[in-house]
Amino acid sequence: MKGRRACVLISGGLDSCVLLAHLAEQGRELTPLYVQAGLVWEQVELIWLRRFLGRLNHPGLNPLSRLSLPVEDIYQSHWSTTGKAVPGAHTEDSAVYLPGRNLLLLSKAAIYCSLNRIDVIALGLLKGNPFPDATPAFLHGFECLAGDALTHPFEIVTPFSNLAKTEVIELGKDLPLELTFSCIRPVGEKHCGGCNKCAERRRSFAEAGVIDRTDYHRRPGLDIRPESAGADHADSN
């Protein structure tokens, strides 16, 4: 990473929260950036994100910045904005694809970084992410295009792109991971325990051999299958 100032696109999920803490430990000046899009889990996610950030104690960590980028008008009846037919525990990674998610997040973040003279955008993308807006080619192309458009060169970095979620959990096992939030169908302030993302979270803790202190609404039976391919977007959960 060039320079010391960076923006971390954060969701409140395991990957981006561990990434933020990991980079903060390197002595960088960091701004956690949350882009609110009107998705059904965001209000609860923000509650947990603030709790997690409140437990970090790094001098270079700036307060959380929030931007708004509503997608209800383009997503319309999509499960992420309606809360209906939310992908369950046994669905594939592709079921949680949010069209253009990284394109939208990075567009907003790039303008923010240009106006605030920040040179690096960090994303918590993991190994094997299958989505088209998470490939090295896409990220490099966006970096060049947005840098030219804004006359502000910046670097997009993905420090966890060679890690699986189990490895991220191992890396962050001394952090308050129970304060991170991965659910796409929350019940009150709790993880539902049975959606696609809760199932991935529960499997990953089990496979990593790390105690899962997450407060789930329920814990249905869970098949431990081969590790997920790391399907999260930039605001990986």
Side-chain angles (χ1 to χ4, degrees):
M1 289 172 58
K2 62 184 180 182
R4 294 185 67 249
R5 301 184 68 216
C7 159
V8 179
L9 270 171
I10 196 162
S11 69
L14 281 164
D15 309 332
S16 58
C17 283
V18 174
L19 175 62
L20 180 72
H22 175 68
L23 295 178
E25 289 169 359
Q26 298 177 8
R28 299 185 180 277
E29 180 184 347
L30 300 174
T31 298
L33 181 64
Y34 186 96
V35 181
Q36 196 159 357
L39 307 181
V40 294
W41 57 85
E42 288 178 338
Q43 293 300 327
V44 178
E45 184 175 58
L46 276 166
I47 291 171
W48 287 102
L49 175 57
R50 290 192 180 98
R51 290 171 181 169
F52 179 84
L53 293 175
R55 295 281 293 276
L56 298 184
N57 184 24
H58 297 282
L61 189 58
N62 294 324
L64 177 68
S65 289
R66 284 175 55 191
L67 303 178
S68 178
L69 187 61
V71 296
E72 294 100 322
D73 54 349
I74 52 175
Y75 277 16
Q76 297 184 8
S77 60
H78 194 268
W79 60 266
S80 64
T81 57
T82 65
K84 299 178 181 178
V86 172
H90 299 291
T91 55
E92 298 297 324
D93 287 341
S94 58
V96 296
Y97 176 58
L98 301 178
R101 176 69 165 162
N102 288 344
L103 175 62
L104 292 168
L105 295 175
L106 284 168
S107 296
K108 197 84 175 191
I111 299 171
Y112 176 89
C113 288
S114 174
L115 294 175
N116 289 277
R117 313 313 297 172
I118 296 173
D119 300 325
V120 177
I121 301 175
L123 311 179
L125 300 178
L126 303 187
K127 178 174 63 177
N129 189 307
F131 298 139
D133 57 356
T135 65
F138 167 79
L139 296 175
H140 176 70
F142 183 91
E143 181 182 271
C144 296
L145 183 65
D148 289 345
L150 296 166
T151 63
H152 176 72
F154 60 90
E155 180 184 14
I156 298 175
V157 299
T158 57
F160 289 173
S161 59
N162 290 320
L163 300 182
K165 190 174 290 287
T166 53
E167 294 172 297
V168 172
I169 290 173
E170 176 65 25
L171 181 65
K173 64 183 179 181
D174 294 327
L175 296 169
L177 297 182
E178 69 275 10
L179 301 183
T180 63
F181 190 80
S182 306
C183 183
I184 53 178
R185 190 176 52 199
V187 179
E189 292 184 5
K190 294 184 177 183
H191 287 75
C192 74
C195 70
N196 176 290
K197 300 306 294 182
C198 281
E200 178 191 45
R201 182 185 179 100
R202 293 173 61 202
R203 282 195 302 269
S204 297
F205 269 102
E207 292 166 1
V210 175
I211 296 173
D212 184 3
R213 295 184 173 85
T214 305
D215 188 10
Y216 296 100
H217 176 66
R218 62 189 181 93
R219 289 179 181 255
L222 186 67
D223 295 329
I224 302 299
R225 67 185 188 187
E227 192 170 88
S228 168
D232 295 339
H233 280 63
D235 61 333
S236 62
N237 283 323

